[in-house]
Each structure stands twice: as structure tokens, then as C-alpha cells.
Amino acid sequence: MYLRTLVLAVLSLVFVTACARDGASPQAVERDRLERRQDEFIAALAARDADRAAALFAEDAVIHVANMPPLEGRDAIHRFYGNLFNYLSASEATLERLEISASGDMAYATGRASNEFRSAEGSTGYTGKYVLVWKKIDDDWRIALYGVSSNESGASRDRASER
């Protein structure tokens, strides 16, 4: 019995020492994984790559964009980006906050965004904000909900009424 306890104590000590040498807590590792995933999404938007962007969403994800009905499901999201990227000439986003739930299976990110669009009438753009809700599915972070909107009050409404 004494030998068994001693062996377990030594193995525990070895494990704790190995983890301490690694230096990264499980929470820090998970945050790094999620930040990389967030960066992948922003890069896909900047590259105007509908396949890469849509692949980061959960099958049942939803996008909320001002002055549009919600887009539901990865297929609808892929079609949306396929169309949007015909007009989007530049997209930038800056992460401001990233929080992971205590259970480690949900997270949200908020930040600033700016987009430029081209059309027959010239180009237009906006500066705004976004919120992403992430959920872990099969140990992989996927976007569950994405909302983006302009900071300009009535900007979209005013442009639409000019047409």
C-alpha cells in the first residue's frame, strides 16, 4: 500500500512539474486557440473568401446585419458572402474584447469594423462594430451568431431612400 501511494505521489509530482514547465494554463491555451480562429475569420473576410468565411460558422449559425432579415444556416451564409464579396473592396476588424465562458464551450468577441464597397455609383463605406458568439462543437470553435452594423445612425436608410 505504501509503495502504491508513493508511486502515485511521484507520478503526480512529475505531471505537475511538466505542466508547470509548459507554463500555459488550459484557459490560456483555449484563449489562444480562439484568438487564432477569430484571426482566421477576419482574414477570410479581408481576402473576400466566401468558402473560408462560411466554413467557420456552425451549421445552424445566424448572421444579423442592419436592415436585413436574419441569415440562418451555413448555406445561406455562404451565399450571402458570395454575393457580398462581389461588392466588398476592403474589410478590416479590430478585436476589442474576447471572453470565454467558465465551462469553456461558449465565447463572445466584440470589436470595431470598417468596410468599403464598390458600385456603379462609386464607392461607399462605413465604420461600425461587431459581435461574434462562438461555440465549441467537436472540440472546434465555430461561429454561432455574428452581428455587424454601422455606427452612423440612419446611414443605410438614407442611402436606400436615395434610390
Side-chain angles (χ1 to χ4, degrees):
M1 181 73 154
Y2 174 77
L3 183 59
R4 182 176 174 190
T5 304
L6 181 62
V7 168
L8 287 175
V10 169
L11 288 175
S12 296
L13 183 59
V14 168
F15 177 74
V16 169
T17 304
C19 289
R21 261 189 261 135
D22 183 354
S25 71
Q27 294 85 359
V29 170
E30 203 56 46
R31 183 179 179 84
D32 287 345
R33 284 183 65 205
L34 185 52
E35 285 178 355
R36 283 193 303 275
R37 214 48 173 159
Q38 170 93 13
D39 291 345
E40 287 177 42
F41 179 61
I42 301 305
L45 295 181
R48 297 182 295 282
D49 188 329
D51 294 335
R52 277 181 34 211
L56 294 168
F57 284 84
E59 285 293 335
D60 61 346
V62 177
I63 293 182
H64 287 197
V65 177
N67 302 312
M68 288 181 61
L71 297 158
E72 299 181 21
R74 189 183 292 160
D75 291 338
I77 291 167
H78 186 268
R79 286 190 302 276
F80 168 74
Y81 281 123
N83 184 48
L84 176 73
F85 292 157
N86 289 323
Y87 303 97
L88 186 69
S89 56
S91 180
E92 291 184 30
T94 303
L95 176 66
E96 293 180 331
R97 185 172 186 172
L98 180 63
E99 297 288 335
I100 300 175
S101 68
S103 61
D105 61 350
M106 295 287 293
Y108 72 88
T110 62
R112 291 175 281 123
S114 63
N115 293 297
E116 291 291 325
F117 301 93
R118 62 183 171 280
S119 69
E121 294 84 32
S123 66
T124 187
Y126 74 85
T127 300
K129 67 273 185 198
Y130 72 87
V131 61
L132 281 164
V133 176
W134 295 89
K135 68 179 176 179
K136 196 183 282 186
I137 302 172
D138 298 328
D139 201 40
D140 194 16
W141 287 105
R142 297 286 177 182
I143 299 167
L145 176 65
Y146 177 46
V148 61
S149 62
S150 172
N151 288 338
E152 301 172 30
S153 63
S156 297
R157 191 174 354 99
D158 293 344
R159 280 196 286 274
S161 65
E162 294 173 2
R163 293 181 188 155

